[in-house]
Amino acid sequence: MPGVFAEVRDGSATWRGASGVADLSTGRPVEPGMRHRVGSLTKTFTAVALLRLVEQGRIGLDAPIGGYLPELVPGERGRQITVRMLLNHTSGFPEYLPYAFPSLRPSPSGPSGDSLDDNQFRQFEPTELIRMGVTAPPAGEPGSTPGTYSNANYLLLGQLLEHVTGTPAEEYITRDVIERAGLRHTEFPTGTRIEGPHPRMYEALFGLIDPPRDYSVYNMSWVSTGAGLISTVADVNRFYRMLLGGELLQPSSLAEMQRTVPVISQTGELITYGLGLHKFTLPGCGTLWGHDGTVWGAGTMSRHSADGQRQMTVAVNLARWNRMDSSGKPQPHPIDDALTAFCGEAMCGAAPGAVR
């Protein structure tokens, strides 16, 4: 692992720390205030924006998506799949990534990372990616469990936001969630580069890219409202603290976010998922809420107590470090053990001393 940085909070006490390097070629150290691609933590932001429209009566949580976007989800599926099913990944839409990045799919020579280079500067349209997921073989029946984690769901929700508000989804989330929460270092990228101090981001792709390749410069249109955000560990903690503390949504909306179902993750694990929120159970700590996020070269873990007072967000600048076994399942790695130990200490250990 080249570099790791984090912020841990317990009430008003804050610890921030970093270790390792932001750049393997120069040895530049990583710092805790750096900006980072936070991947699927974006889904919580998108869910909050949508639930605020539900509170205003402009979107029905259990309304069929075909009533809003019939051109994207036509016919019987459009009538069966609800907004809630998109939020909790029970729509049955599969992941579009193997279609957008075809070298990730099985082939006689095996999968490869070639598509990551091919798409580095490609501008995808959300509707293009959505159609890949909608027209692919279904992952399940609408509303059935376990659901299947799919970015197609959250790109559709982005289109729903735009349809209802008349404003581009990323712009609407920025105004209604990011700015409302006072997040000064969080934004959707407007180009391929991250503005401000940030680490380089190295992708290993489960051993298919060796040595890992730097993808810190990348066109993020391939994930947009599903996983496109740039933020800092401090901003992420502030966002989840405000959300769980009842400052961004009404209590009834937060309760809906925390109604969970079993979902199969992208790596085949069974996770517990609400509406843009993961539920985690940590021995000795009980129930935690938050989200994990990865994009090419970057990873983020964010965990929070139910009241948002005890918090941890940790970022790393190497992604998919595990090797695969013969069945395609990621194998355990010491980095996994280190992150688990850090999470346990951060969320269950002694209160951190205040370090600014």
Side-chain angles (χ1 to χ4, degrees):
M1 177 60 63
V4 56
F5 52 109
E7 179 186 85
V8 179
R9 298 182 63 93
D10 188 359
S12 61
T14 305
W15 174 91
R16 298 186 185 103
S19 184
V21 298
D23 188 328
L24 287 170
S25 62
T26 66
R28 173 171 56 96
V30 72
E31 298 175 0
M34 285 182 161
R35 306 184 81 209
H36 195 60
R37 299 195 192 277
V38 297
S40 286
L41 274 66
T42 307
K43 291 179 172 66
T44 313
F45 287 77
T46 299
V48 168
L50 190 135
L51 284 165
R52 284 178 51 78
L53 292 173
V54 171
E55 292 176 354
Q56 297 165 26
R58 300 172 68 183
I59 292 176
L61 188 55
D62 293 302
I65 190 62
Y68 300 103
L69 302 171
E71 71 286 357
L72 290 177
V73 192
E76 185 61 21
R77 279 209 292 180
R79 291 186 288 272
Q80 292 179 333
I81 295 170
T82 65
V83 174
R84 183 190 300 274
M85 294 175 194
L86 298 174
L87 283 161
N88 67 10
H89 297 293
T90 59
S91 68
F93 290 133
E95 181 57 74
Y96 61 75
L97 291 180
Y99 303 94
F101 294 80
S103 74
L104 301 181
R105 301 170 70 180
S107 70
S109 59
S112 78
D114 293 347
S115 293
L116 276 65
D117 287 340
D118 295 341
N119 289 340
Q120 186 169 5
F121 299 102
R122 178 176 175 180
Q123 178 67 35
F124 285 101
E125 293 301 322
T127 53
E128 173 188 8
L129 297 167
I130 289 167
R131 288 193 174 97
M132 292 178 186
V134 170
T135 59
E141 292 296 318
S144 65
T145 56
T148 299
Y149 190 96
S150 170
N151 280 290
N153 293 316
Y154 276 76
L155 266 61
L156 266 165
L157 292 170
Q159 292 299 292
L160 175 58
L161 286 172
E162 184 167 335
H163 172 78
V164 171
T165 66
T167 303
E170 294 177 351
E171 182 181 325
Y172 185 80
I173 294 167
T174 298
R175 185 178 70 239
D176 196 62
V177 180
I178 296 171
E179 292 178 357
R180 182 182 297 274
L183 309 181
R184 296 183 299 163
H185 305 290
T186 302
E187 66 178 356
F188 287 98
T190 56
T192 59
R193 297 179 180 273
I194 299 175
E195 300 296 327
H198 64 276
R200 293 190 178 275
M201 300 169 190
Y202 301 96
E203 179 60 50
L205 201 61
F206 303 113
L208 295 177
I209 301 176
D210 190 12
R213 199 169 300 148
D214 176 10
Y215 287 121
S216 48
V217 176
Y218 214 94
N219 185 320
M220 298 303 291
S221 61
W222 64 283
V223 281
S224 62
T225 52
L229 274 178
I230 295 166
S231 190
T232 63
V233 292
D235 264 15
V236 166
N237 278 346
R238 177 181 173 86
F239 167 70
Y240 280 103
R241 184 167 67 256
M242 293 180 71
L243 172 61
L244 294 168
E247 297 183 59
L248 300 180
L249 291 173
Q250 296 173 8
S252 59
S253 297
L254 181 58
E256 292 287 358
M257 291 189 81
Q258 295 176 323
R259 289 178 59 186
T260 61
V261 294
V263 170
I264 300 172
S265 74
Q266 290 174 321
T267 55
E269 299 169 301
L270 197 64
I271 61 176
T272 305
Y273 203 87
L275 307 185
L277 272 180
H278 276 261
K279 180 181 179 181
F280 302 92
T281 301
L282 192 62
C285 287
T287 297
L288 304 175
W289 296 95
H291 217 290
D292 290 339
T294 61
V295 290
W296 308 136
T300 310
M301 290 172 54
S302 200
R303 305 283 187 274
H304 311 271
S305 61
D307 61 2
Q309 290 302 298
R310 186 75 180 232
Q311 300 184 275
M312 176 214 78
T313 298
V314 57
V316 295
N317 65 342
L318 173 70
R320 281 159 283 273
W321 51 79
N322 308 78
R323 298 279 176 160
M324 294 286 199
D325 64 13
S326 58
S327 67
K329 182 179 179 181
Q331 291 302 287
H333 191 285
I335 292 172
D336 304 320
D337 297 334
L339 286 171
T340 298
F342 181 83
C343 181
E345 179 69 16
M347 297 304 295
C348 309
V355 177
R356 301 296 179 185

